[in-house]
Amino acid sequence: MKNIIITAFLTLCIFSAAPVAAHKMRLFAYGNATTISGEAAFGSRPAKNIEVVVSNEADGTTLVTTLTDELGNFTFAVPGEAVENRFNLLIIANAGEGHRSQWRLAAEEYLPASTTETAGPAEPRPSQPVHPRPQANQQVAITEEQLKAIVDQSVAEQLRPLQRQLLLLSEKKTTLQDIIGGIGYILGLAGIAAYMRSKKEDKNVHS
Amino acid sequence: MHISEGVLSAPVLIGGGALTAAGTAIGLRSLDYDRIMPTAILTATFFVASLIHVPIGPTSIHLLLNGLLGVILGWSCFPAILIALLLQAVFFQFGGLTVLGVNALNMAASALLCYYLVRPWLMKPKYRAAAGFIGGFLAIFLAALFMAAALAISDTGFLRAAQISIGAQLPIMVIEGFITMFTVSFLARVSPEILGDKQ
């Protein structure tokens, strides 16, 4: 009788639990050399008003501290030193209560490729287009860098849902196999414990 | 209630691990033949209970049932909770392997305290329901308090950590109070030997 009820309770737990998403915090970020945006969520619920700390991965110094908004989004301006020294950023969201998640944003993910950067400072460039084209028809001249920045930004925006989807996909969901496997382990351990005890009791009886 | 990896400092992790190991050793010694199956069943219950989420508070909270394990199992709740947490970490990515010792200590020590506080009354039919409720309620409260302490030693101020964690767990305290109350009353009627007095 009692075993049936306990089994029924456990079965109920298993089936009510199966569709629930883990409460682990999910975090991701993207951006360009000026601003970095990102979002944090618990399963499908946005993680509101959570402290986000951005640090330099190499030495762990804190560069920026910000908070997520009502939708779990956050944005911060990239500090100059991070751009100059091409820091790999470590973005850590800490919801207190021991919930913590981190996202690594490598330098090449938010900064333009190093070849253009090292080719020389951006100062002499703007003077070049002036020579061949003296801006006859009031057209706004866009330098190569500006165009690249615009494209980079819009591509990053477009990739955002894709990134989120990828992250959701890569997140390991709890499956029925996990639950049943875990219970199987517990029963197996109970079996081992029972066996050890019975051996010990045998010894006590015989000696 | 599970602390994630990378939040706690090394001394806290090591201290928690050592205390959990000691508790588990005592728990295993006290686990006699007749108690193995109830312990295993409750371990399994604890293992799956964490999957039942209640969408309240800043994060979603889930059942813990450490109070139930504590009042029924006594010291044996240490190995039970340790194994259940290990499996949760491996299968569900709750908590983590390095924080296993601290998480187990938080939940098992609070459960054990409830055992000593509530047990005398649990055996008296008149007070059984109230004792069950208090056991379930208090175990979460204490676990939240211990967790806040572990977080506080590592970095954030204790008061703030305690406020956050206890505040967030308040609904679960009430829910588990009722669950423990009903389970204990039910077990007392159906199979009193599970509650059985060992001493």
Side-chain angles (χ1 to χ4, degrees), chain A:
Chain A
M1 174 60 191
K2 70 190 182 215
N3 286 337
I4 295 172
I5 287 164
I6 290 168
T7 318
F9 175 71
L10 287 181
T11 323
L12 194 80
C13 288
I14 290 167
F15 289 107
S16 62
V20 172
H23 68 156
K24 227 175 121 180
M25 186 157 51
R26 190 176 69 244
L27 173 77
F28 83 89
Y30 63 90
N32 54 30
T34 50
T35 49
I36 287 176
S37 321
E39 58 183 66
F42 293 104
S44 53
R45 289 155 50 86
K48 297 172 200 160
N49 301 323
I50 284 175
E51 193 185 48
V52 177
V53 176
V54 183
S55 58
N56 174 11
E57 195 194 24
D59 57 10
T61 49
T62 303
L63 302 170
V64 186
T65 309
T66 179
L67 280 175
T68 62
D69 64 12
E70 287 296 301
L71 295 169
N73 296 325
F74 61 90
T75 309
F76 60 89
V78 182
E81 50 173 336
V83 178
E84 277 162 35
N85 304 321
R86 301 188 67 78
F87 286 162
N88 292 329
L89 299 178
L90 203 59
I91 298 165
I92 296 167
N94 197 338
E97 263 196 280
H99 290 295
R100 178 183 181 276
S101 190
Q102 66 178 49
W103 178 263
R104 184 177 179 274
L105 199 63
E108 52 269 23
E109 286 177 58
Y110 70 97
L111 294 176
S114 54
T115 45
T116 56
E117 200 73 7
T118 48
E123 275 81 88
R125 285 271 181 91
S127 62
Q128 284 177 344
V130 178
H131 268 292
R133 209 185 302 156
Q135 292 185 354
N137 45 2
Q138 298 289 321
Q139 215 172 8
V140 183
I142 294 178
T143 64
E144 201 180 320
E145 275 105 72
Q146 281 170 319
L147 183 66
K148 198 173 174 322
I150 292 166
V151 171
D152 278 352
Q153 192 177 355
S154 105
V155 167
E157 291 287 339
Q158 304 278 328
L159 281 177
R160 186 177 189 169
L162 209 63
Q163 265 178 314
R164 187 189 300 124
Q165 223 162 3
L166 261 178
L167 209 65
L168 277 172
L169 276 176
S170 66
E171 200 171 78
K172 193 182 163 300
K173 289 250 162 50
T174 300
T175 62
L176 198 58
Q177 281 95 313
D178 292 332
I179 300 168
I180 293 172
I183 294 173
Y185 268 103
I186 293 167
L187 291 180
L189 286 169
I192 293 171
Y195 176 70
M196 306 278 257
R197 281 294 134 113
S198 74
K199 283 207 108 171
K200 205 190 267 175
E201 263 161 49
D202 271 356
K203 219 182 270 171
N204 291 344
V205 169
H206 290 304
S207 59

